[in-house]
Structure formats: C-alpha cells, structure tokens
Amino acid sequence: MSVSELPPEPWRWDAVDAARALARREISARELLAACLDRMDAVNPQVNAVVKVDRDGAAAAAAAADEAIARGETTGILHGLPLTTKSVSDVEGMPTDIGVEAFANNIATEDGAPARNLRKAGAVLMGRTNVPCMSLRWCTQNALYGRTLNPWAPALTPGGSSGGGAVALAVGIGPLAHGTDGGGSIRYPAACSGVVGLRPSHGRVPGFNPSAAAEAAFGGQFMVAHGPMARRVRDVRLMLQAMSEPDGRDPWWMPVPLAGPPPARPIRVAMYTDPTGRGVDAAFADGVRRAGRALEAAGYAVEEVNFPDFAATSQSWFDIAADQRDHLSAVFERFADPDTLRAHHLVATGRRKFDPGRFRAALAERAARARSWARFTDRYPIVLGPSANAPPFPCGFDVAGEAEADEMFRIIAPMLLAPVLGVPAVSLPVGLANGVPVSVQIHGPRFREDLVLDAAEAIEMACAMPTPTDPLSSNAAAGAEAAPQ
C-alpha cells in the first residue's frame, strides 16, 4: 500500500504500512515521530496514557534512522518506527518507577532485555506508559501519575497493568506498545481498550531488568511475560519477531523458531463461551460466536468444546501467584499507595492468601495440566473463547470490598490459564457493545504464536475495529494528569 492509499495523518498508520513507507522514503522517521508526538500532545491530556516522554532521545534515534536509510542501510524490521514502553522495564536514561512515588528517580543505567531488542530492530523509543502502582491492579492508577482513562468510557477501567500502553494505541499515540503479562496484564487492557495484545509463550521473549534489586519469586519468573501490543494483528506479529531475539541475561529464553510445522487441515478450533463456568455476559458470548463464524468462513473447523481443566487451571493461578505477592509483601506495605495496599490486602486474603502447601500442590498439578493441554491442543490447535466474562468494571470497583474483588476475578477469570501453563494467548476486538469494546481470546500450543496469530488475523478481517479513536469527553477526564513534557 502506497502513501497515497493511507490516511493523510501518519499517526493513524499501522506499523507495517509505516515501515513500508519509511523504506520507500515516502516519509522520514523524523516526520513520523513528529506526527505521533503531535497526536500525543493533542490527546494524552485527556487519557493520561504516556507519563514520560524522551523527546530528545527519540529525535536522535529518528534522525539516525533517516541517515541510515539515506545510506541504503537499515537496522532491523522496526527501523524508524516509534513505540512506547511500559514503565516496569528498564530503558536507559528513563525512570523504571513502576508507578511508585518512592521510585520516581530510579533512572535505568542500561536497557533491559525488551528495550535492547527493540532498539536492535531499529525502533524509536519515544515514551513510557502508565501502570498501576507496582503493576498490582487490573486498573491503571497510582499516586505518582494519577489515573489512565479508558477512551471509550472514562468511568470504566482501561485494564491493567499495561493500561497506559493499550490506551496510547487506541487513541493513536504510536503504532506499537510494549507490555508485560502475569495475569492478563497485556490482554485485559487490550480487551478494555479495543486493541490487540499478545502474551507469548514462557521463554519466547527474553526479559531482564538490570535495575532489579533481587530475583523474582517463582510466580514472577515463570508467569510474567513481555509481549507486543498494537491496533492490528500483523503489527503484533512484526513486533513479536523483534522482541524474540536472544538476550543472554535471561536464562529461560528458548531458541524456538517463530513458525512451526503446519497442522493438519482443516485446523480444528475448540470454541467455548464460558470457559471457567462462572457466567459470561451475552454480548461477550455473542462476540465469541461471531469470531467462530469468521474462522469457519476462513476454512477452520469449529466445534463447541471446552478444555476440561480450564477452570481448575485458572484457579491454580491464585496459589502460584500468591508466592510472588508474599515475596513482595514487605515492599507493598512500605511503598504502595493506599488504594494499591487495599487491593493487595483484598487479593491476599482467604483462599487467595499464600499457603505453602497449596503452592506446592499447584506446582505439582501444573505439570499434569500442561500435559493435558498439550494433548488437547494436539487435537484442537486453536482454542477460542472470551477475553473477559463481562465489560470493564468501574474505576475503583476492585478496592470497594471483598464482594467486588470476587466479581472482578470472575470478570478476568479467562485470562489466568495462559500464565499458569506458559502458553501463548492473544486478545483482539470483535466490535463494540453499548459503546465498549468486546474482545475474544485465542490460546494455542506452547510456542505456536504463529497459529494463534493466523487465526486472529482471520477473525480481524471479518471484525474491523474503528481505531485509532478520539477519547470520549467526560467529567472523569478532569482526573487525568497533564501531558508530560
């Protein structure tokens, strides 16, 4: 597609189109960056998605990209493309504050693994996106930067913890965003904001933070994944390729090809509307059926069948994740803002409280469930269901009380299987219901992101999403911080 066929505003361009235009010298990296920064200046005050901007560093990187293109050189598949990074991962010269006031001056002295790979691929790192304090909540709010607003419905959560990145994409601040996901933290914001988010397999994308004071507990090491977010599936695929390069600082990275052997045709799809048996809103069940019809039209064989261990595997997330929460409990108590501390206490109570016996049992059962998943996905390489069981909850709902916390976990329950098993899962929108995005989720066999993204593209072709969008005006927007300078 040539520039004449693209929207006149370059900030609206998808990453693949922008990369092609850059390579053809139809636009310069500096012009593309300027368009994205101008868009940020126009809309970020209304949503508070980007909390730090590296204008000088991004300008220098864009200029270097242009000079390389003039010499007939490129540095990689993301050459000259502007993107944002989540403020939990080290980017040299920028704060890794994790939304914590006490960490505001924690300036990284070197790139972490994701930033290093993104730069190697030629990306222009232009800003840092907002997160919940300590990335703890499924909404994006902290005492350091304030609240990120959902551009479709400002009173509802934009998701968390990669909420800033998802919202930035939805409103046109760059074509790509980096996120992390340990319990839906890429996929839930993507679902709330109407964009695409991929949680890769454990070991696919290297992750390492040089600034980390200590190693993470088991839950942090084996359930948290770095991954790409974008408005379109093909852009997620492009960014995944860049992020998957090796980094010797991550001992869990695996040298597995991005594409595996072709499965038997037609590819069988297991489709379910209520994977955890906790109830799903009609609009979200309808979204799954709409996606199933799109796959059937694309030649997939769709059957209504659920992975038998979905609910139990998802429930075991609490027993495994509690290890990391217990490991960091003293840090929470010392540094978390009041709402985050309340969220921590609501999560770490009752059945969700850390219990060494349940933790050991969950780890042992994890092997059996992973074996069962491997057998299931050998028969059904694509597993299709809802991203969430209901629309985004109101801001503050997660800290209102125990009953509300339980309801929040019902809503996000479909997110929890992927981190337990370390398998890939992508969330993508299939339309709007009452003005709010409706998304579906596709799981697959471990290291078969290629199959998952192929299916996602087939659904996307039939279910176009009107992004980027302008933020809805609301009185809630008065709570957003001013755009960073």
Side-chain angles (χ1 to χ4, degrees):
M1 186 178 292
S2 67
V3 166
S4 62
E5 300 172 279
L6 296 174
E9 307 97 334
W11 56 265
R12 292 185 180 274
W13 297 356
D14 297 342
V16 169
D17 289 330
R20 191 173 295 128
L22 285 164
R24 293 172 178 169
R25 304 192 194 184
E26 295 172 329
I27 191 173
S28 71
R30 281 172 284 198
E31 290 169 332
L32 180 59
L33 173 65
C36 292
L37 290 176
D38 286 348
R39 177 62 176 176
M40 178 171 59
D41 292 340
V43 298
N44 197 53
Q46 301 172 63
V47 293
N48 192 34
V50 181
V51 292
K52 289 288 183 183
V53 185
D54 184 9
R55 294 179 189 269
D56 292 341
D66 287 335
E67 291 165 5
I69 291 172
R71 295 191 302 268
E73 304 170 359
T74 59
T75 57
I77 59 173
L78 303 183
H79 190 90
L81 294 179
L83 57 76
T84 59
T85 56
K86 185 176 176 179
S87 57
V88 302
S89 182
D90 285 346
V91 172
E92 183 178 353
M94 299 294 283
T96 308
D97 52 57
I98 323 177
V100 178
E101 290 180 290
F103 302 160
N105 295 317
N106 181 25
I107 307 299
T109 58
E110 62 178 301
D111 284 341
R116 178 178 288 184
N117 275 349
L118 292 169
R119 287 197 210 270
K120 281 169 56 180
V124 174
L125 278 53
M126 66 177 183
R128 306 285 271 162
T129 52
N130 204 20
V131 296
C133 177
M134 297 188 180
S135 285
L136 179 67
R137 298 169 64 186
W138 281 266
C139 60
T140 297
Q141 179 177 354
N142 58 67
L144 178 59
Y145 297 119
R147 180 157 63 90
T148 295
L149 301 183
N150 189 318
W152 304 95
L156 303 181
T157 179
S161 59
S162 305
V167 170
L169 291 167
V171 298
I173 305 175
L176 301 169
H178 154 263
T180 63
D181 188 314
S185 286
I186 286 174
R187 293 162 291 140
Y188 190 54
C192 292
S193 300
V195 299
V196 184
L198 171 70
R199 179 209 155 83
S201 305
H202 175 248
R204 169 68 77 191
V205 173
F208 173 74
N209 255 9
S211 69
E215 299 290 351
F218 179 90
Q221 290 190 36
F222 283 83
M223 293 210 301
V224 175
H226 294 259
M229 307 170 74
R231 290 186 292 270
R232 305 291 176 258
V233 175
R234 63 178 183 165
D235 293 350
V236 164
R237 192 191 299 271
L238 183 74
M239 189 172 172
L240 174 67
Q241 184 179 342
M243 296 183 73
S244 298
E245 289 296 307
D247 188 308
R249 297 173 295 178
D250 184 350
W252 309 123
W253 178 83
M254 296 288 288
V256 181
L258 284 166
R265 302 282 174 165
I267 298 175
R268 300 179 72 178
V269 177
M271 183 183 77
Y272 48 77
T273 56
D274 188 7
T276 57
R278 302 191 64 183
V280 60
D281 284 20
F284 290 75
D286 289 345
V288 173
R289 297 186 188 101
R290 186 160 61 251
R293 291 193 295 271
L295 288 177
E296 285 183 326
Y300 289 78
V302 179
E303 301 176 40
E304 291 199 33
V305 59
N306 191 17
F307 174 54
D309 292 338
F310 203 113
T313 303
S314 300
Q315 186 61 36
S316 70
W317 180 89
F318 294 100
D319 293 328
I320 298 174
D323 170 53
Q324 176 76 348
R325 291 181 181 274
D326 184 69
H327 179 66
L328 294 175
S329 183
V331 178
F332 292 151
E333 296 291 338
R334 181 178 178 187
F335 295 115
D337 57 46
D339 278 347
T340 303
L341 194 57
R342 177 162 174 74
H344 170 60
H345 290 159
L346 285 170
V347 170
T349 57
R351 180 65 175 77
R352 298 188 293 268
K353 187 176 182 179
F354 177 67
D355 179 274
R358 289 203 305 266
F359 175 67
R360 289 193 296 270
L363 292 186
E365 292 162 0
R366 178 176 179 265
R369 288 175 178 144
R371 191 177 301 114
S372 178
W373 178 261
R375 288 197 297 266
F376 186 80
T377 54
D378 185 57
R379 185 176 186 186
Y380 299 101
I382 298 299
V383 183
L384 170 67
S387 290
N389 285 327
F393 52 81
C395 295
F397 183 82
D398 62 319
V399 294
E402 184 68 30
E404 289 82 0
D406 284 342
E407 172 61 10
M408 179 196 69
F409 283 120
R410 182 191 76 83
I411 291 172
I412 60 94
M415 298 279 169
L416 303 181
L417 176 140
V420 172
L421 299 183
V423 299
V426 64
S427 174
L428 73 152
V430 292
L432 298 170
N434 299 315
V436 177
V438 173
S439 290
V440 297
Q441 183 174 212
I442 303 170
H443 292 85
R446 191 175 176 205
F447 293 120
R448 292 312 304 264
E449 289 84 359
D450 57 330
L451 298 180
V452 166
L453 293 175
D454 287 346
E457 284 193 290
I459 293 170
E460 182 181 63
M461 288 182 65
C463 304
M465 189 69 181
T467 51
T469 185
D470 290 325
L472 278 183
S473 60
S474 167
N475 292 333
E481 301 289 324
Q485 302 300 316

